[in-house]
Amino acid sequence: MAIYHLSMQIISRSKGQSAVAAAAYRSGEKLHDERTDEQKFYARHVQPETMILTPSNAPEWMKDRNRLWNEVEKVEKRKDSQLARELNIALPIELNHDQQKELIQSFAQNEFVQKGMVADIAIHRDDTNNPHAHIMLTMRNLDQDGFGKKNRDWNADFANAKENNRGYVKNSEACLSIREQWANYANQALEQAQINERITHLSHEKRGLETLPMVHLGHVAHDMEKKGKKTDRGQINRDRRDYNKAVVDLQAYRHQKEEHLKKMKEKEKQFSFSTDIEKTYIQKAASLVGQKVITLEDITARHEELRKMSDRHDPIERHFHVQQQQFLNVSNYYDRVRDLEREIQQNEEKVEELKKSLNPFKLKENNMIKRRHLDRISDLESNKESYENSLQTYKEKLRFNTREEFIERYQSFNKNKENRLNQIHYEKKQIQVETKVLLQAEEAIKQAKIREISSYYPDLKTAGKHLTYSNALRLEKYHDTAQQNQFRLSNIKQSLDANHKKLEEFKKHQKIVHIEKEHVSTMSKEVEKLSSIEKQLDELDKSPGGKAKRLVSKKTRQDYEELQSEAKYGRENLRELGYKGQQDLQQQQSRINTMEKTVVPWLEKEIKTHESNINALNTVFNAIQQATRSEEQAQQRHQLRSTNINKSKNQGPELSP
């Protein structure tokens, strides 16, 4: 889960700190502190990922970490000098390493480096569950030689904030601005990575949360907790987890109670616009799903459950059908094997009879008959073997060895099948009954909603019964934002006309601004073009021997005359465009720029608002018109039917002559 942590501190000599030592600790590099003539090195299990970002006017040597922070130490002379600012920022664990690097680099570049600070960044990933970045920032302006004066304006970015007893800057308005900016950058990166997690710089109290936030452990306490050693900060988090669990349980109870009250109010509203039979339908559906109050969402959810139950029946029935066919096949195979055995036995008995025959005159004939019987026995044996092989396959599938076991398994299967299919048949009937009840309740709830919405619109007093449910929902959405006197069709039409008129006005103003912008842009290009031509003419006039060249060279003279002609055309064109000089053009450009920043966004917003209003009003207008039109058509059909009935009564039966 993405967490928010951003703390700030000042690295200062008054606290016994060194900019070189701080940079060495955060980067994991070996640096030489020239002020104390000491080597600064702090070994790490996982080497930090580091980078130095410099403004465009910074000398190249500032990308050398060792020289950068030694120069900072040199330029600061006081024993209580503030050497650097530092931010400690937790990186979203949901992002990969490249995304984390791009995020922190973009944040530092846009928020600090572009203002003139040098940013030394070190990303620590010693703990995979706590990736974080340290950003050390310089405090002085840059010049050609290196560092100049301290920039006091940057104090506004980091606040004239006091430090707490651990050296970290407390929240102030400016500090909160940086904290908010980091949340915006991180959330944008999470959104681009298509990750739903978001972070916020706001406290639980300002967000209206009753739960307590966890405290940041820091690397020392985190390492101790990891080794099983309890810390004060770790205990605070454990206590807060227990407290938050109780709060969450209480919030869940409150939410459940609020939902119940909401449903009870919905029921009262439903019943106030429902007929007696519709109330019965709704109550019956509510009792079926085991609730006191039922909504369309509940009905939809129950329909889905019933559909899933119905879907489970089909595979079971198919399974029984397949197994039934397998048992029938085995039964047929056993019958066939039995018939083959009987036929084999009959042929064998005839062969034995022929062997016993002693008539020498029929010896040849008997041998031929015996051969036919033996061939027949061979064919029958082959068929029997084929059926027995098939039986062997089914023995493994249906789990039996002998014919007696098969009969026992078949009887058990039939009994189980009958019981299960009867149960499925009963469940299907129940699903049909419940589906019918739910559909009746669904229609009753929709009709109640239609009557409720129709009651807000005088034009639907009688036409409301012809209003569709989807149109009723559209009207309800408009009703939530409309005033009571707007509900009449005539008022809605007036509002539509007024919004169309306003929209046309705003679009007209938008078009005028666009034309003015194009006009000023064209004028600016013409001025630039004329200036370029006049510069060329001026250079040709000042060129030594230029005049003589034009006298002797026809092409040079023609080129010069063409430039003069273009300059003349350009001046005439600018006069037609209303050009009154460079100062006037600059004023017009300034006015257009101001309009681009203020008037254009306002016009776009107004156009969008009025287009949205028109869409909403059109929806309402069309919905009411459709209902009233349906009512008129129904009345016409009724009148036509009544007329036909009256005609048939007046004519009476035809009399035969």
Side-chain angles (χ1 to χ4, degrees):
M1 175 182 176
I3 62 169
Y4 184 94
H5 172 74
L6 187 151
S7 58
M8 307 181 201
Q9 70 164 325
I10 301 293
I11 296 173
S12 171
R13 281 203 192 117
S14 64
K15 294 183 285 189
Q17 294 173 314
S18 157
V20 177
Y25 177 78
R26 284 146 185 77
S27 67
E29 292 182 9
K30 186 180 290 185
L31 303 180
H32 179 71
D33 191 337
E34 296 174 6
R35 187 170 66 88
T36 61
D37 195 24
E38 294 176 339
Q39 290 290 108
K40 303 293 184 182
F41 178 64
Y42 305 90
R44 289 185 171 277
H45 296 299
V46 179
Q47 183 61 26
E49 186 173 5
T50 63
M51 66 200 87
I52 295 177
L53 307 180
T54 60
S56 57
N57 64 330
E60 190 63 26
W61 59 261
M62 285 194 174
K63 293 187 178 179
D64 180 342
R65 182 170 285 107
N66 195 81
R67 185 174 176 185
L68 170 66
W69 296 111
N70 272 299
E71 289 295 328
V72 168
E73 289 283 352
K74 285 178 186 176
V75 78
E76 300 296 346
K77 307 298 184 183
R78 295 164 57 97
K79 64 179 180 181
D80 59 349
S81 292
Q82 293 183 341
L83 305 170
R85 292 186 178 91
E86 186 203 17
L87 283 79
N88 184 337
I89 304 174
L91 300 173
I93 197 171
E94 290 78 7
L95 301 178
N96 61 37
H97 288 187
D98 290 339
Q99 290 168 334
Q100 290 173 349
K101 178 182 176 182
E102 184 181 351
L103 168 60
I104 198 68
Q105 191 172 354
S106 173
F107 175 65
Q109 179 71 36
N110 296 334
E111 296 302 316
F112 309 120
V113 178
Q114 284 187 4
K115 294 177 181 178
M117 307 175 209
V118 178
D120 186 356
I121 304 172
I123 300 174
H124 290 185
R125 296 195 175 93
D126 306 69
D127 182 355
T128 55
N129 295 318
N130 182 31
H132 59 279
H134 295 268
I135 306 177
M136 287 180 62
L137 301 166
T138 55
M139 305 179 76
R140 290 178 175 266
N141 287 325
L142 305 182
D143 54 32
Q144 294 179 348
D145 300 324
F147 292 107
K149 292 183 178 181
K150 280 196 174 177
N151 192 326
R152 305 298 177 186
D153 294 337
W154 293 345
N155 291 338
D157 292 329
F158 290 91
N160 297 319
K162 298 178 181 178
E163 297 177 1
N164 63 19
N165 55 8
R166 298 182 67 244
Y168 290 98
V169 176
K170 294 179 179 179
N171 288 345
S172 66
E173 288 185 9
C175 178
L176 285 172
S177 174
I178 292 175
R179 292 172 61 80
E180 183 178 1
Q181 284 303 320
W182 168 246
N184 293 336
Y185 275 84
N187 288 334
Q188 187 177 2
L190 290 165
E191 184 178 358
Q192 288 174 352
Q194 298 183 341
I195 296 167
N196 293 329
E197 291 286 342
R198 295 293 182 269
I199 63 174
T200 178
H201 66 292
L202 298 174
S203 66
H204 280 220
E205 182 181 356
K206 288 190 176 180
R207 291 162 63 198
L209 300 180
E210 296 180 33
T211 53
L212 297 175
M214 298 295 106
V215 297
H216 183 65
L217 288 177
H219 68 277
V220 176
H222 185 273
D223 290 342
M224 291 176 67
E225 289 283 339
K226 201 171 180 181
K227 293 174 183 176
K229 298 177 181 178
K230 292 188 177 181
T231 63
D232 292 341
R233 285 179 161 263
Q235 188 58 46
I236 290 172
N237 281 345
R238 281 185 285 275
D239 292 341
R240 290 190 175 187
R241 283 192 196 97
D242 293 340
Y243 171 80
N244 290 344
K245 185 179 182 303
V247 169
V248 168
D249 291 342
L250 180 60
Q251 288 174 339
Y253 168 75
R254 287 176 183 166
H255 178 72
Q256 188 178 4
K257 190 173 180 181
E258 286 171 4
E259 284 296 313
H260 177 70
L261 290 172
K262 183 180 176 182
K263 285 190 174 184
M264 290 303 293
K265 287 180 181 178
E266 187 67 26
K267 180 183 178 182
E268 289 176 9
K269 189 182 285 186
Q270 278 176 5
F271 278 20
S272 62
F273 291 97
S274 300
T275 63
D276 290 340
I277 188 66
E278 287 172 347
K279 291 176 185 176
T280 303
Y281 290 151
I282 295 170
Q283 287 174 334
K284 196 172 180 181
S287 63
L288 269 177
V289 298
Q291 294 183 10
K292 291 183 179 180
V293 184
I294 193 168
T295 63
L296 286 177
E297 290 75 16
D298 298 327
I299 291 174
T300 302
R302 185 56 183 166
H303 272 308
E304 182 62 20
E305 289 174 5
L306 293 176
R307 185 192 64 77
K308 289 179 180 178
M309 287 172 61
S310 183
D311 289 345
R312 286 197 295 268
H313 292 153
D314 292 339
I316 295 171
E317 289 178 320
R318 284 196 299 270
H319 172 72
F320 277 119
H321 176 74
V322 170
Q323 275 209 321
Q324 175 73 35
Q325 191 59 50
Q326 289 175 344
F327 276 110
L328 287 173
N329 289 342
V330 171
S331 180
N332 290 334
Y333 291 159
Y334 268 125
D335 290 344
R336 189 61 187 141
V337 167
R338 185 183 59 201
D339 292 341
L340 288 169
E341 286 176 344
R342 185 166 52 249
E343 194 173 349
I344 289 169
Q345 185 179 357
Q346 289 173 355
N347 279 275
E348 286 176 343
E349 288 174 355
K350 287 181 180 179
V351 168
E352 289 299 323
E353 287 177 5
L354 290 170
K355 283 181 180 180
K356 292 177 183 179
S357 175
L358 300 175
N359 189 343
F361 300 104
K362 292 186 176 182
L363 184 61
K364 186 176 181 180
E365 182 183 352
N366 288 344
N367 283 337
M368 289 177 62
I369 295 170
K370 186 169 77 172
R371 173 52 53 196
R372 282 199 299 272
H373 284 299
L374 289 172
D375 288 343
R376 179 60 180 161
I377 289 170
S378 177
D379 290 340
L380 293 170
E381 290 284 357
S382 177
N383 287 341
K384 178 187 172 186
E385 184 179 0
S386 175
Y387 282 116
E388 285 177 339
N389 287 338
S390 297
L391 278 170
Q392 192 61 40
T393 303
Y394 282 111
K395 283 178 180 180
E396 295 174 5
K397 288 181 182 178
L398 301 177
R399 302 191 305 279
F400 68 91
N401 292 314
T402 64
R403 183 182 177 86
E404 290 73 20
E405 287 182 6
F406 164 73
I407 293 170
E408 187 178 337
R409 288 278 298 122
Y410 195 9
Q411 290 173 345
S412 175
F413 165 77
N414 280 329
K415 186 177 180 181
N416 184 37
K417 182 189 75 169
E418 185 178 0
N419 292 337
R420 191 70 183 93
L421 290 181
N422 285 338
Q423 184 183 355
I424 288 174
H425 179 70
Y426 173 78
E427 287 176 1
K428 281 186 173 181
K429 272 200 162 186
Q430 290 297 108
I431 289 172
Q432 288 176 355
V433 171
E434 191 167 341
T435 300
K436 183 180 178 182
V437 172
L438 290 173
L439 289 172
Q440 289 173 334
E442 183 178 357
E443 184 61 24
I445 292 171
K446 287 181 177 180
Q447 288 301 320
K449 176 60 72 175
I450 289 170
R451 292 190 196 99
E452 178 195 347
I453 301 306
S454 298
S455 68
Y456 303 141
Y457 295 84
D459 296 281
L460 295 175
K461 189 173 182 180
T462 57
K465 60 184 177 181
H466 298 284
L467 185 68
T468 64
Y469 180 70
S470 57
N471 280 341
L473 293 182
R474 294 188 183 100
L475 292 178
E476 182 183 37
K477 186 177 180 182
Y478 178 67
H479 166 255
D480 291 339
T481 57
Q483 298 297 323
Q484 191 68 31
N485 61 356
Q486 291 180 304
F487 293 170
R488 285 192 175 277
L489 202 58
S490 56
N491 296 106
I492 295 171
K493 184 67 171 69
Q494 288 175 3
S495 296
L496 259 174
D497 294 340
N499 273 276
H500 273 297
K501 187 177 179 182
K502 282 285 185 183
L503 180 62
E504 290 303 317
E505 287 179 10
F506 286 125
K507 283 188 174 180
K508 184 179 178 182
H509 289 312
Q510 189 183 46
K511 189 175 180 180
I512 290 170
V513 172
H514 180 71
I515 291 170
E516 286 188 18
K517 182 183 176 183
E518 289 293 321
H519 178 78
V520 172
S521 176
T522 303
M523 191 187 297
S524 177
K525 289 175 183 176
E526 289 296 325
V527 168
E528 189 177 342
K529 184 179 176 182
L530 178 61
S531 176
S532 175
I533 294 169
E534 288 178 337
K535 185 178 179 182
Q536 292 179 53
L537 286 170
D538 189 52
E539 288 175 354
L540 289 172
D541 288 337
K542 290 180 180 178
S543 173
K547 190 172 182 180
K549 277 185 185 179
R550 289 194 292 277
L551 290 172
V552 298
S553 172
K554 184 178 180 181
K555 176 142 186 350
T556 304
R557 186 169 62 254
Q558 284 177 341
D559 291 343
Y560 183 79
E561 287 172 353
E562 282 179 9
L563 284 173
Q564 283 184 321
S565 178
E566 284 183 31
K568 182 182 177 183
Y569 174 77
R571 293 187 195 98
E572 290 175 354
N573 194 24
L574 282 172
R575 275 197 298 273
E576 289 178 5
L577 290 171
Y579 180 67
K580 297 178 182 178
Q582 187 65 35
Q583 186 177 356
D584 179 64
L585 176 61
Q586 288 174 351
Q587 288 176 351
Q588 289 191 54
Q589 286 175 330
S590 176
R591 186 172 63 85
I592 290 296
N593 289 336
T594 303
M595 291 174 71
E596 282 283 305
K597 292 178 182 178
T598 57
V599 178
V600 171
W602 175 74
L603 285 172
E604 289 174 349
K605 183 180 177 182
E606 289 296 323
I607 288 170
K608 190 175 180 181
T609 300
H610 282 79
E611 284 177 340
S612 177
N613 290 342
I614 288 169
N615 289 334
L617 289 166
N618 266 326
T619 299
V620 174
F621 189 80
N622 292 336
I624 296 175
Q625 269 202 330
Q626 184 180 339
T628 52
R629 200 179 300 119
S630 297
E631 183 191 28
E632 290 170 0
Q633 290 171 354
Q635 287 175 350
Q636 289 172 1
R637 285 194 299 269
H638 178 71
Q639 289 173 357
L640 184 62
R641 202 178 301 114
S642 300
T643 304
N644 291 335
I645 290 170
N646 290 332
K647 278 183 181 179
S648 65
K649 282 182 180 179
N650 291 333
Q651 287 175 356
E654 289 187 5
L655 298 175
S656 55

